[in-house]
Amino acid sequence: MKKILITGGAGFMGSNMIRYLLRQYPEYCIVNVDKLTYAGNLNNLKDIADDPRYRFYQADIIDSKFIDDLFHREQFDYVLNYAAETHVDRSIMDPDAFLYTDIIGTFTLLEAVKKYGVERMVQISTDEVFGSTLDGAFTEVSPFQPNSPYSASKAGADHLCRAYFVTYQVPVIMTHSCNFYGPYQYPEKFLPLFITNLLEDKKVPIYGDGKYVREWIYTEDHCRAIDLVLHQGRVGEVYNIGTGYRQENLSVTKLLLELLDKDQSYIEFIKDRPGHDRRYAIDATKLRNELGWVPMFSFEQGLEAKVRWYQQNTSWWKELKSGAYEAYYRQQYHERLSS
Ligand code: NAD
Ligand code: TYD
């Protein structure tokens, strides 16, 4: 029996991980702490909300009093930190929350992990901390060169994790993953935005020339990687998580058009994102060699599964794409569409 704290568990990847862990480890108990920002959604967890092994608290991870009381009460074995502000475009418009949650929030958790002797913490971070590379792939020792307030805030958190391991021997493990995709992804990110726009018979807004490259990992594969890192990874180490499935945004868009039976007139090229990273690529040799992880989903399989999920769960995303979302979308795209 292990007790795990998952922060940000009402978001995209956190909710997938909670479901995965409850399925894989019947004896585990999971506590989810989530602030429920615009990206947090309890509908992501409807199917497991009444599971006696699961509990939810709505709280902010920068609230050190709440976090300290919680750790004192619960005596966690493991902590998985998924909570973050995560959308690059929002970080460009409004960086404050990124610095508070991503950096101070991680600091608050590290302090509690140190004080209460938690066995292991995994910090879920991103390949974006390495900046952009035109060729080759980032390894665990590539230098940090973040280019957006989002990636800079995640890099800050990663530096703190390393420092807490070296200085205080806090048992933290850091992961840098390529882009996730799969069910329950908030429809502001590239893939869910494009899929839902096409399902609504709307155009899809490609930034710049569309030749930006991202590497993609399906939710289930990422959950398996974190499972291995949590249980078998070495503390103080960094693990890259990547699949080698690297695609230009325009090629991915063409695949989506094909899957959803639309022609190229649905593509709209719009003004580029400032500071847009040209290419991400991750070398995951260490994860493969040390922990035996390989992806089970090809990009095409994952994309088809993702499209099917959005086709079958229209009420989930339609509810999100109304109200405040519309105001965000108008603000984000109005100027770019009209320039
Ligand atoms: P998401 O935006 O879907 O969810 C983030 C969750 O964190 C939300 O439920 C939100 O309510 C919660 N949250 C935000 N601020 C909080 C706070 N102060 N206190 C408590 N909860 C708070 O994110 P995601 O896409 O699932 O990403 C999860 C993690 O994985 C993040 O740390 C992100 O940096 C990292 N990551 C994401 C990707 C990707 O492609 N999405 C790739 C690599 C790494
Ligand atoms: P995004 O999902 O925001 O993730 P990342 O954190 O990797 O930037 O964007 C993925 C890629 O898609 C990135 O190159 C920006 C591009 N993009 C568009 O072309 N149009 C869009 O509307 C969005 C949201 C992203």
Side-chain angles (χ1 to χ4, degrees):
M1 145 72 182
K2 294 280 181 193
K3 194 182 272 186
I4 310 187
L5 169 65
I6 296 201
T7 66
F12 162 46
M13 204 59 219
S15 61
N16 276 288
M17 189 61 182
I18 290 175
R19 193 171 291 104
Y20 170 94
L21 286 171
L22 289 174
R23 197 177 66 226
Q24 285 304 111
Y25 298 98
E27 72 285 13
Y28 280 15
C29 161
I30 291 175
V31 174
N32 172 15
V33 169
D34 195 299
K35 183 180 175 181
L36 298 184
T37 66
Y38 76 96
N41 181 358
L42 292 179
N43 286 339
N44 298 0
L45 295 160
K46 258 186 181 165
D47 53 330
I48 56 99
D50 296 329
D51 191 312
R53 297 168 297 155
Y54 168 77
R55 253 173 309 131
F56 171 68
Y57 294 96
Q58 181 172 4
D60 191 327
I61 57 163
I62 76 170
D63 181 345
S64 53
K65 168 87 173 67
F66 171 85
I67 292 292
D68 189 79
D69 288 348
L70 181 77
F71 274 67
H72 178 69
R73 235 180 15 251
E74 301 281 357
Q75 298 295 313
F76 296 115
D77 298 292
Y78 301 145
V79 172
L80 296 178
N81 184 24
Y82 285 86
E85 289 289 339
T86 61
H87 191 39
V88 173
D89 293 320
R90 287 185 191 255
S91 84
I92 294 167
M93 288 191 301
D94 200 1
D96 298 40
F98 287 76
L99 304 194
Y100 287 111
T101 291
D102 300 8
I103 304 178
I104 306 295
T106 303
F107 161 69
T108 307
L109 294 171
L110 285 165
E111 278 291 309
V113 168
K114 170 159 77 88
K115 181 168 170 187
Y116 291 101
V118 172
E119 215 175 296
R120 268 157 186 250
M121 165 168 165
V122 180
Q123 171 70 1
I124 316 294
S125 189
T126 165
D127 55 6
E128 305 195 22
V129 297
F130 299 121
S132 177
T133 180
L134 292 183
D135 50 29
F138 301 118
T139 70
E140 284 79 4
V141 295
S142 296
F144 281 13
Q145 292 186 316
N147 293 316
S148 71
Y150 163 61
S151 50
S153 70
K154 292 295 289 187
D158 292 344
H159 283 311
L160 273 176
C161 289
R162 180 192 149 84
Y164 267 63
F165 173 73
V166 174
T167 304
Y168 308 111
Q169 294 77 54
V170 166
V172 60
I173 306 178
M174 292 138 276
T175 61
H176 294 127
S177 175
C178 62
N179 286 53
F180 315 148
Y181 70 107
Y184 298 104
Q185 188 171 24
Y186 189 85
E188 66 185 346
K189 301 269 167 67
F190 170 60
L191 280 178
L193 175 68
F194 280 32
I195 293 168
T196 56
N197 272 16
L198 292 171
L199 289 173
E200 289 175 303
D201 205 36
K202 288 184 185 156
K203 292 191 176 195
V204 294
I206 293 199
Y207 297 168
D209 62 6
K211 295 193 173 160
Y212 292 86
V213 174
R214 294 293 181 268
E215 183 167 329
W216 295 98
I217 183 167
Y218 193 62
T219 38
E220 188 74 13
D221 280 329
H222 191 266
C223 290
R224 285 176 37 252
I226 297 299
D227 179 359
L228 282 170
V229 167
L230 174 66
H231 292 100
Q232 296 173 38
R234 287 178 292 139
V235 296
E237 289 290 319
V238 179
Y239 294 89
N240 279 355
I241 305 177
T243 56
Y245 302 133
R246 297 170 194 147
Q247 303 273 349
E248 285 187 357
N249 295 339
L250 197 50
S251 326
V252 177
T253 306
K254 288 180 180 163
L255 276 174
L256 288 179
L257 292 175
E258 237 176 83
L259 283 170
L260 289 162
D261 210 15
K262 302 280 185 201
D263 63 37
Q264 307 231 350
S265 67
Y266 281 84
I267 293 181
E268 187 158 34
F269 288 95
I270 68 166
K271 196 172 156 196
D272 213 345
R273 168 190 282 172
H276 195 170
D277 284 330
R278 191 63 166 169
R279 178 175 176 274
Y280 299 142
I282 272 283
D283 179 338
T285 310
K286 179 173 172 180
L287 184 70
R288 196 172 55 239
N289 289 353
E290 244 185 60
L291 303 181
W293 179 90
V294 283
M296 284 169 58
F297 286 81
S298 71
F299 182 64
E300 288 72 17
Q301 285 170 328
L303 198 63
E304 274 183 40
K306 173 153 182 143
V307 167
R308 229 180 3 260
W309 189 87
Y310 281 79
Q311 280 172 322
Q312 289 165 356
N313 291 277
T314 43
S315 58
W316 179 87
W317 56 263
K318 281 207 164 151
E319 197 179 321
L320 297 177
K321 272 186 122 176
S322 59
Y325 178 93
E326 278 181 15
Y328 160 77
Y329 194 81
R330 268 200 305 278
Q331 184 186 5
Q332 180 61 28
Y333 292 101
H334 173 72
E335 188 204 335
R336 293 182 180 189
L337 284 168
S338 54
S339 63

